[in-house]
Amino acid sequence: MKIAQSITILAAVVASTDARSLRRKLASDTMIFDEPTHHQKLVAYCLSFEKDCGQAAADAYCKEIGYGKAVEFEKMRSHDKETLTMESHATCSPKHNTCDAFDSITCQVRTQTFYNPMEHGRALDGCAETKGIGCGQDAANLFCKDNGYDAATAFVRVDTLEETMHIGDESVCDPDWSPCSRFEYITCAAVHATPVP
């Protein structure tokens, strides 16, 4: 019997010390940052003054806060707030210059899919502990956290006749004594990256 489950993360906890507005797409693969800031200044539209503008600067911002590349961005002119370049950390003051910034940057959530995940040389069991405790999402989340991610966004769990390892209590499931399951794959995501204030 195959148990398939796909989990979509609908909200992420993202902290911002300057209370910038952040919103989350209803999808598991992107995060939108409105008027993104770096060291309490708007992120400049170019990596350094008038060089590597747009995609390069947006990618640098996403990478800095723990996401993948930028998949979309919008430009704006800053009339009253200073901007800061991501590469040289140079400040542009709108009192004396024309300063372009990002109105928004959409970053790709960092994900990885692990096929036939293992734990201590055995297939990872579909339950975190013996006696069917923490099956499915709980076990997948523990695996993702052990591998540097925040949560499992998708997985497929199947019954198996092989020995498996529970990730929670590190016990072995022996199919001669009890039903065992394993994961065909687990997709993990990093979803709580924090912008630099």
Side-chain angles (χ1 to χ4, degrees), residues 73-99:
F73 53 86
E74 294 178 23
K75 181 180 177 181
M76 72 173 190
R77 176 74 32 95
S78 177
H79 299 287
D80 59 347
K81 296 176 184 172
E82 291 183 335
T83 65
L84 185 70
T85 60
M86 291 294 297
E87 187 172 80
S88 60
H89 292 102
T91 300
C92 178
S93 172
K95 292 179 183 176
H96 310 290
N97 301 291
T98 300
C99 303

Side-chain angles (χ1 to χ4, degrees), residues 18-179:
D18 60 357
R20 286 280 168 214
S21 170
L22 301 176
R23 67 182 189 264
R24 178 83 165 98
K25 274 189 178 180
L26 294 181
S28 64
D29 61 348
T30 59
M31 176 74 86
I32 301 173
F33 297 89
D34 291 318
E35 293 188 13
T37 60
H38 185 64
H39 297 291
Q40 300 175 345
K41 295 177 182 174
L42 291 175
V43 175
Y45 193 70
C46 299
L47 268 178
S48 55
F49 283 127
E50 299 180 5
K51 291 182 182 175
D52 297 318
C53 302
Q55 187 70 52
D59 284 345
Y61 173 77
C62 292
K63 182 179 178 182
E64 175 77 18
I65 62 171
Y67 286 83
K69 67 180 181 176
V71 294
E72 191 175 296
F73 53 86
E74 294 178 23
K75 181 180 177 181
M76 72 173 190
R77 176 74 32 95
S78 177
H79 299 287
D80 59 347
K81 296 176 184 172
E82 291 183 335
T83 65
L84 185 70
T85 60
M86 291 294 297
E87 187 172 80
S88 60
H89 292 102
T91 300
C92 178
S93 172
K95 292 179 183 176
H96 310 290
N97 301 291
T98 300
C99 303
D100 292 327
F102 288 98
D103 185 46
S104 68
I105 298 177
T106 302
C107 299
Q108 193 172 53
V109 172
R110 187 172 57 89
T111 64
Q112 183 175 350
T113 300
F114 297 86
Y115 293 94
N116 300 310
M118 304 290 284
E119 183 73 11
H120 300 300
R122 290 185 169 90
L124 177 67
D125 195 87
C127 296
E129 299 180 17
T130 56
K131 299 182 182 176
I133 297 172
C135 297
Q137 188 70 48
D138 290 342
N141 283 345
L142 284 173
F143 176 81
C144 290
K145 288 176 183 176
D146 279 358
N147 284 279
Y149 293 87
D150 300 311
T153 58
F155 59 83
V156 171
R157 187 176 139 227
V158 295
D159 293 334
T160 185
L161 297 176
E162 64 185 299
E163 285 188 353
T164 58
M165 177 68 75
H166 297 107
I167 193 168
D169 60 10
E170 296 187 349
S171 62
V172 174
C173 179
D174 184 340
D176 291 336
W177 296 99
S178 64

